[in-house]
């Protein structure tokens, strides 16, 4: 056997994505380079690691077993590197965070300075849907998660990060205004919703229910980015977090429509299991948030103030 750590790393990414194309994108390598690494690793085993069925790549049972061992090997290599850095006086280790999809507009601002100050720290940030974020907490797979609605069934510790402000927005090229009919209570435009389980969806439906607003035509999409593109295209309007549409508002591609009892304001929370035993890296990140949070909000998110009604 003469496999390399690089081959194992590439193979793990292929197993994770079940796609050479997606693995190459994640690793910032060309597809041929990833294919060569897979072939070089495969040549050392008489049993297939992968198979292609109907143009789709599958990991064989043997490949899954090799991936499990490869993951352990790479984790041990990381541990050696972290120990070396720690003996040199550097903070070293891995910080793992799970973030709901809209949180990708928030969390990087609270990580960038911390990562620059601690080059021995490796960051793993999974941007996904709320269900997967909650699952990662339940399975103790991450140090922290970023959510705007706390999962009620989990015993969590929390840090309030910053406000999440939601307004009704639309493309002014398609909609001059959005009204609610006083007789029927029905809103005058199609409304675009996130999928069931989304915190944005919950906030939107709570608002409509609380104030007796009926929806005529509904459209449901499964990501904040998909909702934004649909609103830009004039498919309808939506109640959206301002944090994800800064550029579109500044360029005039999207417009806030005045509606009674808006905006909705929730809170972004960094959360973790109460029983979690934090690593030195995780504890250092909590200290960083406590000391730097206000400065980061004041510097990077001051633009939000101009959209908040006094």
């Amino acid at each position: 056997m003469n496999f390399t750590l690089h081959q194992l790393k590439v193979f793990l990414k292929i197993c994770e994505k079940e796609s050479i194309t997606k693995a190459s994108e994640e690793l910032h390598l060309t597809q041929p380079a990833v294919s060569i690494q897979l072939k070089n690793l495969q040549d050392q085993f008489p049993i297939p690691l992968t198979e292609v069925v109907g143009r789709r790549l599958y990991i064989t049972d043997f490949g899954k077993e090799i991936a499990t061992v490869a993951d352990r090997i790479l984790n041990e290599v990381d541990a050696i590197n972290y120990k070396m850095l720690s003996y040199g006086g550097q903070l070293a280790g891995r910080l793992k965070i799970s973030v709901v999809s809209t949180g990708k507009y928030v969390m990087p601002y609270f990580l960038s300075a911390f990562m620059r100050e601690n080059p021995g720290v490796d960051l793993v940030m999974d941007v996904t849907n709320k269900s997967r974020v909650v699952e990662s907490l339940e399975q103790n797979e991450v140090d922290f998660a970023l959510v705007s609605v706390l999962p009620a069934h989990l015993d969590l510790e929390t840090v309030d990060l910053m406000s999440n402000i939601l307004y009704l927005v639309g493309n002014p090229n398609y909609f001059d205004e959005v009204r609610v009919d006083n007789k029927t209570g029905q809103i005058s435009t199609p409304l675009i919703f996130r999928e069931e389980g989304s915190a944005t969806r919950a906030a939107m439906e709570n608002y409509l229910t609380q104030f007796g607003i009926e929806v005529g035509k509904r459209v449901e999409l499964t990501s904040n980015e998909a909702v934004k593109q649909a609103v830009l295209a004039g498919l309808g309007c939506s109640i959206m977090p301002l944090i994800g549409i800064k550029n579109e508002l500044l360029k005039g591609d999207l417009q806030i429509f005045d509606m009674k009892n808006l905006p909705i304001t929730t809170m972004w929370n960094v959360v973790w299991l109460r029983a979690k035993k934090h690593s030195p890296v995780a504890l250092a990140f909590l200290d960083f948030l406590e000391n730097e949070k206000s400065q980061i909000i004041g510097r990077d998110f001051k633009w939000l103030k101009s959209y908040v009604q006094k």
Side-chain angles (χ1 to χ4, degrees):
M1 291 288 174
N2 193 30
F3 53 78
T4 67
L5 295 176
H6 182 58
Q7 289 169 358
L8 296 181
K9 181 179 179 181
V10 170
F11 180 60
L12 273 181
K13 187 58 67 175
I14 292 171
C15 292
E16 177 189 338
K17 298 298 180 181
E18 294 187 333
S19 165
I20 289 176
T21 300
K22 292 179 180 178
S24 67
E25 291 171 354
E26 290 267 332
L27 295 167
H28 305 289
L29 297 171
T30 65
Q31 291 184 41
V34 170
S35 297
I36 289 170
Q37 293 302 317
L38 175 60
K39 181 180 184 302
N40 290 342
L41 182 64
Q42 177 64 77
D43 286 346
Q44 299 177 68
F45 300 100
I47 304 172
L49 298 169
T50 63
E51 58 184 353
V52 177
V53 179
R55 300 182 65 184
R56 181 176 172 184
L57 181 74
Y58 292 89
I59 313 302
T60 65
D61 289 343
F62 178 70
K64 291 175 182 177
E65 291 185 18
I66 296 301
T68 299
V69 176
D71 187 51
R72 288 204 301 267
I73 291 171
L74 292 173
N75 282 332
E76 290 298 325
V77 171
D78 286 342
I80 291 171
N81 292 331
Y82 296 147
K83 287 182 183 299
M84 179 184 68
L85 292 169
S86 296
Y87 273 96
Q90 285 191 48
L91 182 67
R94 183 178 285 124
L95 182 64
K96 299 180 73 174
I97 301 177
S98 187
V99 177
V100 293
S101 58
T102 311
K104 66 177 176 285
Y105 303 109
V106 176
M107 201 69 223
Y109 291 94
F110 294 90
L111 287 163
S112 59
F114 178 78
M115 296 302 296
R116 288 195 302 271
E117 293 171 8
N118 299 286
V121 173
D122 290 329
L123 172 66
V124 179
M125 188 173 81
D126 182 27
V127 180
T128 184
N129 58 48
K130 184 184 175 184
S131 296
R132 176 61 191 134
V133 170
V134 172
E135 182 183 346
S136 69
L137 282 169
E138 290 174 326
Q139 300 298 321
N140 196 28
E141 296 172 352
V142 295
D143 298 301
F144 304 106
L146 181 70
V147 296
S148 59
V149 175
L150 302 179
H153 66 290
L154 295 180
D155 188 16
L156 299 173
E157 294 276 2
T158 71
V159 171
D160 292 344
L161 200 60
M162 61 176 285
S163 296
N164 183 32
I165 302 164
L166 300 93
Y167 272 108
L168 180 68
V169 299
N171 187 330
N173 293 322
Y174 297 97
F175 303 103
D176 295 326
E177 62 177 349
V178 178
R179 295 176 291 100
V180 175
D181 189 293
N182 291 329
K183 292 183 179 179
T184 65
Q186 186 167 309
I187 199 163
S188 62
T189 64
L191 282 188
I192 303 174
F193 290 77
R194 287 284 305 277
E195 75 283 3
E196 286 282 358
S198 158
T200 300
R201 164 78 170 255
M204 189 170 174
E205 290 190 326
N206 288 342
Y207 167 78
L208 296 171
T209 300
Q210 182 179 355
F211 297 104
I213 300 172
E214 296 290 333
V215 179
K217 187 172 182 60
R218 287 175 173 247
V219 178
E220 181 175 312
L221 299 172
T222 56
S223 75
N224 192 71
E225 189 63 29
V227 171
K228 179 167 69 175
Q229 294 304 319
V231 175
L232 285 167
L235 194 58
C237 297
S238 188
I239 295 176
M240 299 187 68
L242 294 190
I243 196 71
I245 56 174
K246 175 184 178 182
N247 292 334
E248 289 76 15
L249 289 172
L250 290 175
K251 291 188 295 184
D253 293 334
L254 292 180
Q255 173 183 315
I256 293 173
F257 292 112
D258 290 331
M259 288 283 286
K260 192 175 182 180
N261 302 302
L262 286 179
I264 302 166
T265 302
T266 61
M267 180 65 65
W268 288 111
N269 303 278
V270 173
V271 304
W272 62 95
L273 293 175
R274 191 179 300 275
K276 179 76 175 178
K277 303 296 184 183
H278 280 316
S279 68
V281 168
L283 290 172
F285 182 62
L286 284 177
D287 288 341
F288 173 84
L289 286 182
E290 181 179 352
N291 294 325
E292 303 295 332
K293 177 178 69 172
S294 296
Q295 182 179 342
I296 292 168
I297 293 171
R299 181 187 66 234
D300 296 315
F301 298 101
K302 61 183 178 182
W303 64 272
L304 284 169
K305 293 182 180 179
S306 62
Y307 293 100
V308 179
Q309 294 176 345
K310 304 298 183 183

